Amino acid sequence: DRGSVQNSPKSYDVEYLMPVSLGTPAQQLNLDLDTGSSDFWVFSTLLKESMINGQTLYDPNASTTADKMEGYSWKITYGDQSYSSGDVYVDTVTIGDLTVSTQAVEAAREVSEEFTADSDNDGLVGLGFGIINTVMPYKQKTFFEKAMPGLDSPVFTADLKSGAPGRYNFGYIDDGAYTGNITYVPVNSSDGFWSWVSPGFQVGTTGSFNNTRIHGIADTGTTLLLLPEGVCEAFYGRIASAKYDASQGGYTFECNDSTTPDFYFGTGNGQMIRIPGSYLAYSKIDTSSLRCFGGMQSDSGVGFTIWGDIALKAAFIVFDQGSERLGWAEK
Ligand SMILES: N[C@H]1[C@H](O)[C@@H](Sc2ccccc2)[C@@H]2OC[C@H]1O2
């Protein structure tokens, strides 16, 4: 079996949403595929009105195939301190023609203000490893873990684009979606993340390759690229107008600063992925400003590097759960 679904970026590529069908008859919600967490949760009719702001709600009572998991609950807090919690139902879920008939669907009773404010986002499909699923008393499998045994190949791929729709594929690798070769790197899933080690980085075409191993996770649900302080300093040190602006909470520089270099990160076997300098001018700090907030920021608050959408949209990535490895290719 296999599946393929289009993903669509919201403004500034802040997140990527995909259509998902839940229940019988199908209820379609727009969900955020998040390789940095492992709960499948949705806005639901259980929510207080004050927490809803235009989102589409999953109504388990309107689904003939929904069964409540009595005595089960969930509560998750994300890296940015946003949170959600609620009850659990088993129901059928289809993503891109791929159906899981008994998915644990976590129906929200409570969501934090960040989720309420994000009116286009109806919930998350966590495709990290099930070991960090928050359902109690027994953790539940991710959509991919449920689908994996029936797939042609135990992989899913992410093709995120800058300001344009891309695709998530399940169970196969589309050889037309990338150029050159796919370089595979081992994954350590013990923390539930797609955790891997980059052999180093290079700033611009003329900079030397810096053999500093970077431990981090591939996270489709994080917008920016969060790297060690030293890497940020090496990159922003090459941009004439760049500075760390405490009032903005990060590095900023003039959006059109022509000294902005590309950023390359190693994936192994000598391969590098090139992130165009233009991706690193993330967004204007305010409508009247000529300065942009950097797409690369320090990971000092997190403790490990997060290869978020700024990096992922420069590549074609294979999340190979069968072999616990990540595949990286240019495109
Ligand atoms: N893996 C990521 C996750 O998807 C988001 S949760 C989220 C919050 C508000 C709006 C949309 C998504 C949060 O930021 C980084 C990390 O935690």
Side-chain angles (χ1 to χ4, degrees), residues 15 32 34 36-37 78-80 82 114-115 118 121 124 219 221-222:
E15 63 188 18
D32 180 356
D34 177 22
S37 66
Y78 293 97
D80 64 356
S82 57
E114 296 86 352
F115 288 111
D118 192 356
N121 183 335
L124 268 62
D219 183 0
T222 288

Side-chain angles (χ1 to χ4, degrees), residues 96-118:
D97 293 335
L98 174 65
T99 295
V100 166
S101 55
T102 57
Q103 174 67 40
V105 177
E106 301 171 34
R109 280 191 174 280
E110 187 186 32
V111 299
S112 63
E113 60 192 19
E114 296 86 352
F115 288 111
T116 300
D118 192 356

Side-chain angles (χ1 to χ4, degrees), residues 173-217:
I173 292 173
D174 175 0
D175 290 329
Y178 63 91
T179 60
N181 297 317
I182 299 173
T183 297
Y184 287 94
V185 296
V187 159
N188 175 341
S189 65
S190 56
D191 288 338
F193 299 126
W194 290 89
S195 194
W196 67 291
V197 181
S198 165
F201 69 96
Q202 179 176 306
V203 178
T205 49
T206 57
S208 57
F209 185 79
N210 195 317
N211 291 291
T212 310
R213 292 156 59 84
I214 301 172
H215 290 73
I217 69 170

Side-chain angles (χ1 to χ4, degrees), residues 218-254:
D219 183 0
T220 55
T222 288
T223 307
L224 301 183
L225 169 55
L226 306 181
L227 286 168
E229 187 58 48
V231 181
C232 293
E233 285 162 10
F235 176 71
Y236 287 113
R238 294 276 295 277
I239 304 177
S241 61
K243 67 178 179 180
Y244 184 84
D245 183 344
S247 72
Q248 292 293 324
Y251 291 93
T252 68
F253 59 100
E254 284 171 16

